[in-house]
Amino acid sequence: MKRVDDFRLKFGKKEYVPIIIGGMGVDISTAELALEAARLGGIGHISDAMVPDVSDRRFDTGFVKEKTKFYKYNIDNSDKSDIKFDLGRLAEATKLHVGRTMEAKRGDGLIFVNCMEKLTMNAPRETLQVRLNSALDAGIDGITLSAGLHLGSFALMADHPRFRDAKLGIIVSSVRALQLFLRKTSRLNRLPDFIIIEGPLAGGHLGFGMDWAQYDLATIVAEIAQFMKTEQLDIPLVAAGGIFTGSDAVSFLENGASALQVATRFTVSNECGLPAKIKQEYFKASEEDIIVNTISPTGYPMRMLRSTPAIGAGIRPNCEAYGYLLDGNGNCAYITAYNEQIVIHPDGKNISVMDKTCLCTHMRNFNCWTCGSMTYRLKDTTRKLADGTYQTLSAEHIFKDYQFSVDQQIALPA
């Protein structure tokens, strides 16, 4: 009976344990979590979501405070088109977060950064270019392009000296999305180094509509593998979404995938950035507690716990401090939904916004409890303690359980 350890992910002449920890933001996939994956010979992600705030918390910088002070005059204004990110400060924050992580790297694995196209920041092209190129400047091993088609993202890095050196990949959920990406980037003569195929059971934002349940990861992997064969493209495919055991992973590795990306089980690791109390909420969740809704201003459906405090919260838009989801005209779907409620409740009290959520503020405060479809099974991966709480696990324990387990077994902690 095969184990994940019987397979290897190959980039050129180098081989890696085919386990990739997904890039959960905001700083949920911490540097510490990514570093453990790399130390163990796999690949770990950090996220560049809201990286100025992450830098403030990690390195005692003042990026958010400075931005808030600069735009203080606009706090009560519903028009947020004035709010821009200082590109120099954005670059500085990215280089700090990525650079410090890379300096701490040990082992034979790799560190990637997950970069969301949907963080439009009121200047989609300019801010994305800074984030991508600053990560390359700081020595990141690779970049995973997520939350969007990224049709122009390769071009934004094309002049960087590491454009053909770093590992660059894309997350897709269909053959069509991959075809669009490859067609758009073909003129650069630069193929992606890996393709992550994310199915409908993944956590957080989904690359599907609310008909997500009609799709199946194994089918999508098979379709993309056939497309790659037809086009004579030899690019590693990475299966992601709902892969809960090493046996689940092996089934994909035997059927066209070169690696797997996992995240849900690592949300309750000691190295994960979620606060301890929220990890216990994940442990306690039942299958009925996991829902998919449309409250994200990005336009993508999002999977989360039903009890997440972000649902129905009516806080004032906090764009002066954050503003990561402002589009190129300074608009955000949450601002629109909030203003509609202000018309009904002009005193600003007792406001509940059910249609959308202020994703920036709630993700920053760990009040948007996004999760994978298998979160309800987390309680079966550990031991319940005498006080009624569940024992958190080391990232190494979880990683090695994926790597060496067989027959759908899950190793409990000592």
Side-chain angles (χ1 to χ4, degrees), residues 106-165:
R106 303 291 183 270
D108 297 325
L110 300 173
I111 302 288
F112 290 175
V113 63
N114 181 284
C115 188
M116 297 174 61
E117 188 178 37
K118 283 294 184 180
L119 295 182
T120 42
M121 305 167 73
N122 204 2
R125 185 182 186 280
E126 294 82 0
T127 51
L128 182 58
Q129 186 169 33
V130 166
R131 289 155 55 206
L132 293 169
N133 286 281
S134 297
L136 293 174
D137 288 341
I140 197 70
D141 290 320
I143 298 176
T144 297
L145 304 173
S146 68
L149 292 174
H150 283 278
L151 300 182
S153 295
F154 267 28
L156 297 179
M157 297 179 279
D159 293 331
H160 196 282
R162 297 192 61 222
F163 177 57
R164 299 183 188 278
D165 166 50

Side-chain angles (χ1 to χ4, degrees), residues 365-384:
N365 293 331
F366 300 108
N367 282 331
C368 190
W369 299 345
T370 57
C371 66
S373 62
M374 299 296 167
T375 296
Y376 70 97
R377 295 179 60 186
L378 288 174
K379 61 178 65 68
D380 299 325
T381 68
T382 190
R383 301 184 187 279
K384 195 170 186 179

Side-chain angles (χ1 to χ4, degrees), residues 247-269:
S247 300
D248 293 340
V250 167
S251 68
F252 285 101
L253 294 171
E254 291 180 324
N255 290 282
S258 297
L260 58 135
Q261 178 169 284
V262 288
T264 293
R265 287 185 60 185
F266 289 94
T267 59
V268 290
S269 67

Side-chain angles (χ1 to χ4, degrees), residues 35-242:
L35 288 165
E36 276 295 271
R39 181 181 68 83
L40 294 165
I43 298 173
H45 274 94
I46 54 176
S47 170
D48 85 334
M50 300 180 68
V51 72
D53 181 73
V54 174
S55 173
D56 286 353
R57 287 190 279 189
R58 283 186 165 266
F59 312 119
D60 200 30
T61 50
F63 298 122
V64 174
K65 184 177 180 180
E66 290 171 11
K67 181 170 175 282
T68 306
K69 183 178 180 180
F70 188 83
Y71 290 109
K72 184 177 180 180
Y73 71 87
N74 201 65
I75 288 176
D76 293 324
N77 188 357
S78 62
D79 182 353
K80 306 299 183 182
S81 57
D82 275 2
I83 299 171
K84 304 285 184 181
F85 281 80
D86 182 310
L87 298 183
R89 301 297 266 165
L90 180 59
E92 185 181 346
T94 303
K95 290 176 184 178
L96 259 177
H97 184 39
V98 175
R100 293 285 181 88
T101 303
M102 297 308 296
E103 288 170 7
K105 194 181 87 166
R106 303 291 183 270
D108 297 325
L110 300 173
I111 302 288
F112 290 175
V113 63
N114 181 284
C115 188
M116 297 174 61
E117 188 178 37
K118 283 294 184 180
L119 295 182
T120 42
M121 305 167 73
N122 204 2
R125 185 182 186 280
E126 294 82 0
T127 51
L128 182 58
Q129 186 169 33
V130 166
R131 289 155 55 206
L132 293 169
N133 286 281
S134 297
L136 293 174
D137 288 341
I140 197 70
D141 290 320
I143 298 176
T144 297
L145 304 173
S146 68
L149 292 174
H150 283 278
L151 300 182
S153 295
F154 267 28
L156 297 179
M157 297 179 279
D159 293 331
H160 196 282
R162 297 192 61 222
F163 177 57
R164 299 183 188 278
D165 166 50
K167 305 302 178 189
L168 305 179
I170 179 79
I171 295 181
V172 298
S173 295
S174 68
V175 171
R176 182 175 178 273
L178 178 58
Q179 290 171 330
L180 288 171
F181 176 79
L182 293 176
R183 189 179 306 132
K184 185 67 175 179
T185 58
S186 61
R187 65 180 179 81
L188 296 172
N189 193 30
R190 171 49 162 111
L191 290 169
D193 297 289
F194 60 97
I195 298 163
I196 297 176
I197 305 168
E198 191 171 270
L201 302 183
H205 289 101
L206 305 180
F208 302 87
M210 286 304 285
D211 61 347
W212 59 269
Q214 298 177 22
Y215 297 88
D216 171 71
L217 176 60
T219 301
I220 302 169
V221 170
E223 291 172 349
I224 291 180
Q226 181 57 52
F227 166 75
M228 301 292 283
K229 182 178 180 181
T230 301
E231 297 296 317
Q232 298 183 321
L233 295 173
D234 185 18
I235 302 172
L237 303 180
V238 181

